[in-house]
Coordinates of all heavy atoms in Angstrom, one line a residue:
M1 N -32.7 18.3 23.5 CA -32.7 17.3 22.5 C -31.3 16.6 22.4 O -30.3 17.2 22.4 CB -33.0 17.9 21.1 CG -33.0 17.0 20.0 SD -33.7 17.7 18.5 CE -32.3 18.4 17.7
A2 N -31.4 15.3 22.4 CA -30.1 14.5 22.4 C -29.5 14.5 21.0 O -30.2 14.5 20.0 CB -30.5 13.0 22.8
L3 N -28.2 14.5 21.0 CA -27.4 14.4 19.8 C -27.3 12.9 19.4 O -26.8 12.1 20.2 CB -26.1 15.1 19.9 CG -25.1 14.9 18.7 CD1 -25.7 15.7 17.5 CD2 -23.7 15.4 19.1
V4 N -27.7 12.6 18.2 CA -27.6 11.2 17.7 C -26.4 11.2 16.8 O -26.4 11.9 15.8 CB -28.9 10.8 17.0 CG1 -28.8 9.4 16.4 CG2 -30.1 10.9 17.9
E5 N -25.5 10.3 17.1 CA -24.3 10.2 16.3 C -24.5 9.0 15.3 O -24.7 7.9 15.7 CB -23.1 9.9 17.1 CG -21.8 9.9 16.3 CD -20.6 9.7 17.2 OE1 -20.7 9.7 18.4 OE2 -19.5 9.6 16.6
D6 N -24.5 9.3 14.0 CA -24.7 8.3 13.0 C -23.7 8.6 11.9 O -22.9 9.5 11.9 CB -26.1 8.2 12.5 CG -26.7 9.4 11.9 OD1 -25.9 10.4 11.6 OD2 -27.9 9.6 11.8
S7 N -23.8 7.8 10.8 CA -22.8 8.0 9.7 C -23.0 9.4 9.1 O -22.0 10.0 8.6 CB -23.0 7.0 8.6 OG -24.3 7.0 8.1
T8 N -24.2 10.0 9.1 CA -24.4 11.4 8.5 C -23.7 12.4 9.4 O -22.9 13.2 8.8 CB -25.9 11.7 8.4 OG1 -26.5 10.7 7.7 CG2 -26.1 13.1 7.8
T9 N -23.8 12.3 10.7 CA -23.2 13.3 11.5 C -21.7 13.1 11.6 O -20.9 14.1 11.7 CB -23.7 13.3 13.0 OG1 -23.6 12.0 13.5 CG2 -25.2 13.8 13.0
Q10 N -21.2 11.9 11.5 CA -19.8 11.6 11.5 C -19.1 12.1 10.2 O -18.0 12.5 10.3 CB -19.6 10.1 11.6 CG -20.0 9.5 12.9 CD -20.1 8.0 12.9 OE1 -19.8 7.4 11.9 NE2 -20.5 7.4 14.0
S11 N -19.8 12.1 9.1 CA -19.3 12.5 7.9 C -19.4 14.0 7.6 O -18.7 14.6 6.8 CB -19.9 11.8 6.7 OG -19.7 10.4 6.8
A12 N -20.2 14.7 8.4 CA -20.4 16.2 8.2 C -19.1 17.0 8.2 O -18.9 17.8 7.3 CB -21.4 16.7 9.2
Y13 N -18.3 16.8 9.2 CA -17.1 17.5 9.4 C -16.1 17.2 8.2 O -15.5 18.1 7.7 CB -16.5 17.1 10.7 CG -15.1 17.8 11.0 CD1 -15.0 19.1 11.2 CD2 -14.0 17.0 11.2 CE1 -13.8 19.7 11.5 CE2 -12.8 17.6 11.5 CZ -12.7 18.9 11.7 OH -11.5 19.5 12.0
L14 N -16.0 15.9 7.9 CA -15.1 15.5 6.8 C -15.6 16.0 5.5 O -14.8 16.5 4.7 CB -15.1 14.0 6.8 CG -14.5 13.3 8.0 CD1 -14.6 11.7 7.9 CD2 -13.0 13.7 8.2
N15 N -16.9 16.0 5.2 CA -17.4 16.6 4.0 C -17.2 18.1 3.8 O -16.9 18.5 2.7 CB -18.9 16.2 3.8 CG -19.2 14.8 3.6 OD1 -18.3 14.0 3.1 ND2 -20.3 14.3 4.0
D16 N -17.3 18.8 4.9 CA -17.1 20.2 4.9 C -15.6 20.6 4.8 O -15.3 21.6 4.0 CB -17.7 20.9 6.1 CG -19.2 21.0 6.1 OD1 -19.8 20.7 5.0 OD2 -19.8 21.2 7.2
F17 N -14.7 20.0 5.4 CA -13.3 20.4 5.5 C -12.3 19.4 5.0 O -11.1 19.7 4.9 CB -13.0 20.7 7.0 CG -13.8 21.7 7.6 CD1 -14.8 21.4 8.5 CD2 -13.7 23.1 7.3 CE1 -15.6 22.4 9.1 CE2 -14.5 24.0 7.9 CZ -15.4 23.7 8.8
G18 N -12.8 18.3 4.5 CA -11.9 17.2 4.1 C -11.4 17.3 2.6 O -11.9 18.1 1.8
V19 N -10.4 16.5 2.3 CA -9.9 16.3 1.0 C -10.0 14.8 0.6 O -10.2 14.0 1.5 CB -8.4 16.7 0.9 CG1 -8.3 18.2 1.2 CG2 -7.5 15.9 1.8
N20 N -10.0 14.5 -0.7 CA -10.1 13.2 -1.1 C -8.8 12.4 -0.8 O -7.7 12.9 -1.0 CB -10.4 13.1 -2.6 CG -11.8 13.6 -2.9 OD1 -12.7 13.3 -2.2 ND2 -11.9 14.3 -4.0
C21 N -9.0 11.1 -0.4 CA -7.9 10.2 0.0 C -8.3 8.9 -0.6 O -9.4 8.4 -0.5 CB -7.8 10.2 1.5 SG -6.5 9.2 2.1
T22 N -7.3 8.2 -1.1 CA -7.5 6.8 -1.7 C -6.4 5.9 -1.2 O -5.2 6.3 -1.2 CB -7.5 6.9 -3.2 OG1 -8.5 7.8 -3.6 CG2 -7.7 5.5 -3.8
S23 N -6.8 4.7 -0.8 CA -5.8 3.6 -0.5 C -6.5 2.3 -1.1 O -7.6 2.0 -0.7 CB -5.6 3.5 1.0 OG -4.6 2.5 1.2
D24 N -5.8 1.7 -1.9 CA -6.3 0.5 -2.6 C -7.6 0.9 -3.3 O -7.6 1.8 -4.1 CB -6.5 -0.7 -1.7 CG -5.1 -1.3 -1.2 OD1 -4.2 -1.3 -2.0 OD2 -5.0 -1.8 -0.1
T25 N -8.7 0.2 -3.0 CA -10.0 0.5 -3.6 C -10.9 1.4 -2.9 O -12.0 1.7 -3.3 CB -10.7 -0.8 -3.9 OG1 -11.0 -1.4 -2.6 CG2 -9.9 -1.8 -4.7
I26 N -10.4 1.9 -1.7 CA -11.2 2.8 -0.9 C -10.9 4.3 -1.1 O -9.7 4.7 -1.1 CB -11.0 2.5 0.6 CG1 -11.4 1.0 0.9 CG2 -11.8 3.4 1.5 CD1 -11.0 0.5 2.2
T27 N -11.9 5.1 -1.4 CA -11.8 6.5 -1.5 C -12.7 7.2 -0.5 O -13.9 6.8 -0.5 CB -12.1 7.0 -2.9 OG1 -11.1 6.4 -3.8 CG2 -12.0 8.5 -3.1
A28 N -12.2 8.1 0.3 CA -13.1 8.8 1.3 C -12.5 10.1 1.6 O -11.3 10.4 1.2 CB -13.2 7.9 2.5
K29 N -13.2 10.9 2.3 CA -12.7 12.2 2.7 C -12.0 12.1 4.0 O -12.4 11.3 4.9 CB -13.9 13.2 3.0 CG -14.7 13.6 1.7 CD -14.0 14.7 1.0 CE -14.9 15.2 -0.1 NZ -14.3 16.3 -0.8
V30 N -10.9 12.8 4.2 CA -10.1 12.9 5.4 C -9.7 14.3 5.7 O -9.8 15.2 4.8 CB -8.8 12.1 5.3 CG1 -9.1 10.6 5.0 CG2 -7.9 12.6 4.2
I31 N -9.4 14.6 6.9 CA -8.8 15.9 7.3 C -7.3 15.8 7.2 O -6.7 14.9 7.8 CB -9.2 16.3 8.7 CG1 -10.7 16.4 8.8 CG2 -8.6 17.7 9.1 CD1 -11.4 17.4 7.9
F32 N -6.7 16.6 6.4 CA -5.2 16.6 6.1 C -4.6 17.7 6.9 O -4.9 18.9 6.6 CB -4.9 16.6 4.6 CG -3.5 16.6 4.3 CD1 -2.7 15.6 4.7 CD2 -3.0 17.6 3.5 CE1 -1.3 15.6 4.4 CE2 -1.6 17.6 3.1 CZ -0.8 16.6 3.6
E33 N -3.6 17.4 7.8 CA -2.9 18.4 8.5 C -1.4 18.2 8.3 O -0.9 17.1 8.1 CB -3.2 18.3 10.0 CG -4.7 18.5 10.3 CD -5.0 18.4 11.8 OE1 -4.4 19.2 12.5 OE2 -5.7 17.5 12.1
Q34 N -0.7 19.3 8.2 CA 0.7 19.3 8.0 C 1.5 20.3 8.9 O 2.1 21.2 8.4 CB 1.1 19.4 6.5 CG 0.4 20.5 5.8 CD 0.6 20.4 4.3 OE1 1.6 19.8 3.9 NE2 -0.2 21.0 3.5
P35 N 1.4 20.1 10.2 CA 2.1 21.1 11.1 C 3.6 20.9 11.1 O 4.1 19.8 10.9 CB 1.5 20.7 12.5 CG 1.2 19.3 12.4 CD 0.7 19.1 11.0
D36 N 4.3 22.0 11.2 CA 5.8 22.0 11.3 C 6.2 21.7 12.7 O 5.5 22.2 13.7 CB 6.4 23.3 10.9 CG 6.3 23.5 9.3 OD1 6.3 22.4 8.6 OD2 6.3 24.6 8.9
L37 N 7.2 20.9 12.9 CA 7.8 20.6 14.2 C 9.2 21.2 14.2 O 10.0 21.1 13.3 CB 7.9 19.1 14.5 CG 6.6 18.4 14.4 CD1 6.8 16.9 14.6 CD2 5.7 18.8 15.6
V38 N 9.6 21.9 15.3 CA 10.9 22.4 15.5 C 11.7 21.4 16.3 O 11.3 21.1 17.4 CB 10.9 23.8 16.1 CG1 12.3 24.3 16.3 CG2 10.1 24.7 15.3
L39 N 12.8 20.9 15.8 CA 13.6 19.9 16.5 C 15.0 20.3 16.7 O 15.5 21.3 16.1 CB 13.6 18.6 15.6 CG 12.2 18.1 15.2 CD1 12.4 17.0 14.1 CD2 11.5 17.5 16.4
A40 N 15.7 19.6 17.5 CA 17.2 19.8 17.8 C 17.5 21.2 18.2 O 18.4 21.8 17.6 CB 18.0 19.3 16.6
G41 N 16.8 21.7 19.2 CA 17.1 23.0 19.7 C 17.0 24.1 18.6 O 17.8 25.0 18.5
N42 N 15.9 24.1 17.9 CA 15.5 25.1 16.8 C 16.5 25.0 15.6 O 16.6 26.0 14.9 CB 15.5 26.5 17.4 CG 14.5 26.7 18.4 OD1 13.4 26.1 18.4 ND2 14.7 27.6 19.4
Q43 N 17.2 23.9 15.4 CA 18.1 23.7 14.3 C 17.4 23.1 13.1 O 17.8 23.3 12.0 CB 19.3 22.9 14.7 CG 20.1 23.5 15.8 CD 20.7 24.8 15.5 OE1 21.3 25.0 14.4 NE2 20.5 25.8 16.3
I44 N 16.3 22.3 13.3 CA 15.7 21.6 12.2 C 14.2 21.8 12.3 O 13.6 21.8 13.3 CB 15.9 20.1 12.4 CG1 17.4 19.8 12.3 CG2 15.2 19.3 11.3 CD1 17.8 18.4 12.7
V45 N 13.6 22.1 11.1 CA 12.1 22.2 11.0 C 11.7 21.0 10.2 O 12.2 20.8 9.1 CB 11.7 23.5 10.4 CG1 10.2 23.5 10.2 CG2 12.1 24.7 11.2
S46 N 10.7 20.2 10.7 CA 10.2 19.0 10.0 C 8.7 19.1 9.9 O 8.1 19.7 10.8 CB 10.6 17.8 10.8 OG 10.1 16.6 10.2
T47 N 8.2 18.6 8.8 CA 6.7 18.6 8.7 C 6.2 17.3 9.1 O 6.7 16.2 8.6 CB 6.3 18.9 7.2 OG1 6.9 20.2 6.9 CG2 4.8 19.0 7.1
D48 N 5.2 17.3 9.9 CA 4.5 16.1 10.4 C 3.2 15.9 9.8 O 2.2 16.5 10.2 CB 4.4 16.2 12.0 CG 3.8 14.9 12.6 OD1 4.1 13.8 12.0 OD2 3.1 15.0 13.6
Y49 N 3.1 15.1 8.7 CA 1.8 14.9 8.0 C 0.9 14.0 8.7 O 1.3 12.9 9.1 CB 2.1 14.3 6.6 CG 3.1 15.2 5.8 CD1 4.4 14.9 5.6 CD2 2.6 16.3 5.1 CE1 5.2 15.7 4.9 CE2 3.4 17.1 4.3 CZ 4.7 16.8 4.2 OH 5.5 17.6 3.5
Q50 N -0.4 14.4 8.9 CA -1.3 13.6 9.6 C -2.7 13.7 9.0 O -3.1 14.7 8.4 CB -1.5 14.1 11.1 CG -0.3 14.0 11.9 CD -0.6 14.5 13.3 OE1 -0.2 13.8 14.2 NE2 -1.2 15.6 13.5
L51 N -3.4 12.6 9.1 CA -4.8 12.5 8.6 C -5.7 12.1 9.7 O -5.3 11.4 10.6 CB -4.9 11.4 7.5 CG -4.0 11.4 6.3 CD1 -4.2 10.1 5.5 CD2 -4.2 12.6 5.5
T52 N -6.9 12.7 9.7 CA -8.0 12.2 10.6 C -9.0 11.6 9.7 O -9.5 12.3 8.7 CB -8.6 13.4 11.4 OG1 -7.5 14.0 12.2 CG2 -9.7 12.9 12.3
A53 N -9.4 10.4 9.9 CA -10.3 9.7 9.0 C -11.3 8.8 9.9 O -11.0 8.6 11.1 CB -9.5 8.8 8.1
K54 N -12.3 8.3 9.3 CA -13.2 7.4 9.9 C -12.5 6.0 10.0 O -12.0 5.6 9.0 CB -14.6 7.3 9.3 CG -15.4 8.6 9.4 CD -16.9 8.4 9.1 CE -17.2 7.8 7.8 NZ -18.6 7.8 7.5
V55 N -12.6 5.3 11.1 CA -12.1 4.0 11.2 C -12.7 3.1 10.2 O -12.0 2.2 9.6 CB -12.2 3.5 12.6 CG1 -11.9 2.0 12.7 CG2 -11.3 4.3 13.6
S56 N -14.0 3.3 9.9 CA -14.7 2.4 8.9 C -14.1 2.6 7.5 O -14.3 1.7 6.7 CB -16.2 2.7 9.0 OG -16.4 4.0 8.6
D57 N -13.5 3.7 7.2 CA -12.9 3.9 5.9 C -11.4 3.4 5.9 O -11.1 2.7 4.9 CB -12.9 5.4 5.6 CG -14.3 5.9 5.3 OD1 -15.2 5.2 4.9 OD2 -14.5 7.1 5.6
F58 N -10.6 3.8 6.8 CA -9.2 3.5 6.7 C -8.6 2.9 8.0 O -7.4 2.8 8.1 CB -8.4 4.8 6.4 CG -8.7 5.4 5.1 CD1 -9.4 6.6 4.9 CD2 -8.4 4.7 3.9 CE1 -9.7 7.1 3.7 CE2 -8.7 5.3 2.6 CZ -9.3 6.5 2.6
G59 N -9.4 2.3 8.8 CA -8.9 1.8 10.1 C -8.1 0.5 10.0 O -7.5 0.1 11.0
T60 N -8.0 -0.1 8.8 CA -7.3 -1.3 8.7 C -5.9 -1.1 8.0 O -5.1 -2.1 7.8 CB -8.0 -2.4 7.8 OG1 -8.3 -1.8 6.5 CG2 -9.3 -2.8 8.5
L61 N -5.5 0.2 7.8 CA -4.2 0.4 7.2 C -3.1 0.1 8.1 O -3.2 0.2 9.4 CB -4.1 1.9 6.8 CG -5.0 2.4 5.7 CD1 -4.8 3.9 5.5 CD2 -4.6 1.7 4.4
I62 N -2.0 -0.4 7.6 CA -0.9 -0.8 8.4 C 0.4 0.0 7.9 O 0.3 0.6 6.8 CB -0.6 -2.3 8.4 CG1 -0.3 -2.7 6.9 CG2 -1.7 -3.1 9.0 CD1 0.2 -4.1 6.8
A63 N 1.4 0.1 8.8 CA 2.6 0.8 8.4 C 3.1 0.2 7.1 O 3.2 -1.0 6.8 CB 3.7 0.6 9.5
G64 N 3.5 1.2 6.2 CA 4.0 0.8 4.9 C 3.0 0.8 3.8 O 3.3 0.8 2.6
A65 N 1.7 0.9 4.2 CA 0.6 1.0 3.1 C 0.7 2.3 2.4 O 1.1 3.3 2.9 CB -0.7 0.9 3.8
L66 N 0.4 2.2 1.1 CA 0.4 3.4 0.3 C -1.0 4.1 0.3 O -2.0 3.4 0.4 CB 0.7 3.1 -1.2 CG 2.1 2.4 -1.4 CD1 2.2 2.0 -2.9 CD2 3.2 3.3 -0.9
I67 N -0.9 5.4 0.3 CA -2.2 6.2 0.4 C -2.0 7.5 -0.4 O -0.9 8.1 -0.4 CB -2.5 6.5 1.9 CG1 -3.9 7.0 2.0 CG2 -1.5 7.4 2.6 CD1 -4.5 6.9 3.4
T68 N -3.0 7.9 -1.1 CA -2.9 9.1 -1.9 C -3.8 10.2 -1.3 O -5.0 9.9 -1.1 CB -3.3 8.9 -3.4 OG1 -2.4 7.8 -3.9 CG2 -3.2 10.1 -4.2
V69 N -3.3 11.3 -1.0 CA -4.0 12.4 -0.4 C -4.0 13.6 -1.4 O -2.9 14.1 -1.6 CB -3.5 12.8 1.0 CG1 -4.3 13.9 1.6 CG2 -3.3 11.6 1.9
D70 N -5.2 14.0 -1.9 CA -5.3 15.1 -2.8 C -4.3 15.0 -3.9 O -3.5 15.9 -4.2 CB -5.0 16.4 -2.0 CG -6.0 17.5 -2.4 OD1 -7.0 17.2 -3.1 OD2 -5.8 18.6 -1.9
S71 N -4.2 13.8 -4.5 CA -3.3 13.5 -5.7 C -1.8 13.4 -5.4 O -1.0 13.4 -6.3 CB -3.6 14.4 -6.8 OG -4.9 14.4 -7.2
V72 N -1.4 13.4 -4.1 CA 0.0 13.2 -3.7 C 0.2 11.9 -3.0 O -0.6 11.6 -2.1 CB 0.4 14.4 -2.8 CG1 1.9 14.3 -2.4 CG2 0.2 15.7 -3.5
A73 N 1.2 11.2 -3.3 CA 1.5 9.8 -2.7 C 2.2 9.9 -1.4 O 3.1 10.7 -1.2 CB 2.3 9.0 -3.7
Y74 N 1.7 9.2 -0.4 CA 2.3 9.1 0.9 C 2.4 7.6 1.3 O 1.7 6.7 0.7 CB 1.4 9.8 1.9 CG 1.4 11.3 1.7 CD1 0.4 11.9 0.9 CD2 2.3 12.2 2.3 CE1 0.3 13.2 0.7 CE2 2.2 13.5 2.1 CZ 1.2 14.1 1.3 OH 1.2 15.4 1.1
T75 N 3.1 7.4 2.4 CA 3.2 6.0 3.0 C 2.8 6.1 4.4 O 3.1 7.1 5.1 CB 4.7 5.5 2.9 OG1 5.1 5.5 1.6 CG2 4.8 4.1 3.5
V76 N 2.0 5.2 4.9 CA 1.5 5.2 6.3 C 2.6 4.8 7.2 O 3.4 3.9 7.0 CB 0.3 4.1 6.4 CG1 -0.1 4.0 7.9 CG2 -0.9 4.5 5.6
R77 N 2.8 5.6 8.3 CA 3.8 5.3 9.3 C 3.1 4.7 10.5 O 3.7 3.8 11.1 CB 4.4 6.6 9.8 CG 5.3 7.3 8.7 CD 5.9 8.6 9.1 NE 6.2 8.7 10.6 CZ 6.0 9.8 11.3 NH1 5.4 10.9 10.7 NH2 6.2 9.9 12.6
E78 N 1.9 5.2 10.9 CA 1.3 4.7 12.1 C -0.2 5.1 12.1 O -0.6 6.1 11.5 CB 1.9 5.3 13.3 CG 1.4 4.9 14.7 CD 2.1 5.7 15.8 OE1 2.3 6.9 15.7 OE2 2.4 5.0 16.8
L79 N -1.1 4.2 12.7 CA -2.5 4.5 12.8 C -2.9 4.4 14.3 O -2.6 3.4 14.9 CB -3.3 3.6 11.9 CG -4.8 3.8 11.9 CD1 -5.3 3.6 10.5 CD2 -5.5 2.9 12.8
R80 N -3.6 5.3 14.8 CA -4.1 5.3 16.2 C -5.6 5.7 16.2 O -6.0 6.7 15.6 CB -3.4 6.3 17.0 CG -1.9 6.1 17.2 CD -1.1 7.3 17.7 NE -1.3 8.5 17.1 CZ -0.8 8.9 15.9 NH1 0.0 8.0 15.3 NH2 -1.0 10.0 15.4
K81 N -6.4 4.9 16.9 CA -7.8 5.2 17.1 C -7.9 6.4 18.1 O -7.1 6.5 19.0 CB -8.6 4.0 17.6 CG -8.8 2.9 16.6 CD -9.6 1.8 17.1 CE -9.7 0.7 16.1 NZ -10.5 -0.4 16.7
L82 N -8.9 7.2 17.9 CA -9.1 8.4 18.7 C -10.4 8.2 19.6 O -11.4 7.6 19.1 CB -9.3 9.6 17.9 CG -8.1 10.0 17.0 CD1 -8.5 11.2 16.2 CD2 -6.9 10.4 17.9
D83 N -10.4 8.7 20.8 CA -11.5 8.7 21.7 C -12.4 7.4 21.7 O -11.9 6.4 22.1 CB -12.4 9.9 21.4 CG -11.6 11.2 21.5 OD1 -10.7 11.3 22.4 OD2 -11.8 12.1 20.7
D84 N -13.6 7.5 21.1 CA -14.5 6.3 21.1 C -14.3 5.3 20.0 O -15.0 4.4 19.8 CB -15.9 6.8 21.1 CG -16.3 7.6 19.9 OD1 -15.4 7.8 19.0 OD2 -17.5 8.0 19.7
G85 N -13.2 5.5 19.2 CA -12.9 4.6 18.1 C -13.6 4.8 16.8 O -13.4 4.0 15.9
I86 N -14.4 5.9 16.7 CA -15.1 6.2 15.4 C -14.1 6.8 14.4 O -14.1 6.5 13.2 CB -16.3 7.1 15.6 CG1 -17.3 6.5 16.6 CG2 -16.9 7.5 14.3 CD1 -18.0 5.3 16.1
F87 N -13.2 7.6 14.9 CA -12.2 8.2 14.1 C -10.8 7.7 14.4 O -10.5 7.2 15.5 CB -12.2 9.8 14.2 CG -13.4 10.4 13.7 CD1 -14.5 10.6 14.4 CD2 -13.5 10.7 12.3 CE1 -15.7 11.2 13.9 CE2 -14.6 11.3 11.8 CZ -15.7 11.5 12.6
C88 N -9.9 7.9 13.5 CA -8.5 7.5 13.7 C -7.6 8.6 13.2 O -8.0 9.4 12.4 CB -8.1 6.2 13.1 SG -8.3 6.1 11.3
E89 N -6.4 8.6 13.7 CA -5.3 9.6 13.3 C -4.3 8.7 12.6 O -3.8 7.7 13.2 CB -4.8 10.3 14.4 CG -3.8 11.4 14.0 CD -3.4 12.2 15.2 OE1 -2.5 11.8 16.0 OE2 -4.0 13.3 15.4
I90 N -3.9 9.1 11.4 CA -2.9 8.3 10.6 C -1.7 9.2 10.3 O -1.8 10.3 9.7 CB -3.5 7.9 9.2 CG1 -4.8 7.1 9.5 CG2 -2.5 7.1 8.5 CD1 -5.7 6.9 8.2
S91 N -0.6 8.8 10.8 CA 0.7 9.5 10.6 C 1.2 9.0 9.2 O 1.3 7.8 9.0 CB 1.7 9.2 11.7 OG 1.3 9.8 12.9
I92 N 1.6 9.9 8.3 CA 2.1 9.5 7.0 C 3.4 10.3 6.7 O 3.7 11.3 7.3 CB 1.0 9.8 5.9 CG1 0.6 11.3 5.9 CG2 -0.2 8.9 6.1 CD1 -0.4 11.7 4.9
Q93 N 4.0 9.8 5.7 CA 5.2 10.5 5.2 C 5.2 10.5 3.6 O 4.6 9.6 3.0 CB 6.5 9.8 5.7 CG 6.7 8.4 5.2 CD 7.8 7.6 5.8 OE1 8.3 8.1 6.9 NE2 8.3 6.6 5.2
K94 N 5.8 11.5 3.0 CA 5.8 11.5 1.6 C 6.6 10.3 1.0 O 7.6 9.9 1.6 CB 6.4 12.8 1.1 CG 5.5 14.0 1.2 CD 6.0 15.1 0.4 CE 4.9 16.2 0.4 NZ 5.3 17.4 -0.4
T95 N 6.1 9.8 -0.1 CA 6.7 8.6 -0.7 C 7.8 9.1 -1.6 O 7.7 10.0 -2.3 CB 5.6 7.8 -1.4 OG1 4.6 7.4 -0.5 CG2 6.2 6.6 -2.1

């Protein structure tokens, strides 16, 4: 049986594991990740905040745009489409 990708299957992962995210008038579920990065020869630990979202929800965000993730304010640093362009990865920083 072929797997049919539609808005329901695209949202299933986000609905199960996502958190609420808002930018301007758009509110949708995103996957929020905050891995630590070790920099400068193990001298600095930095947190790299990232979102995975549907392009149809947040694909038009630009650097400097404000976005709220789980009631915390962030600023968009960069947005990159993933694979087939249905999802995007958004790099953010605390505001």
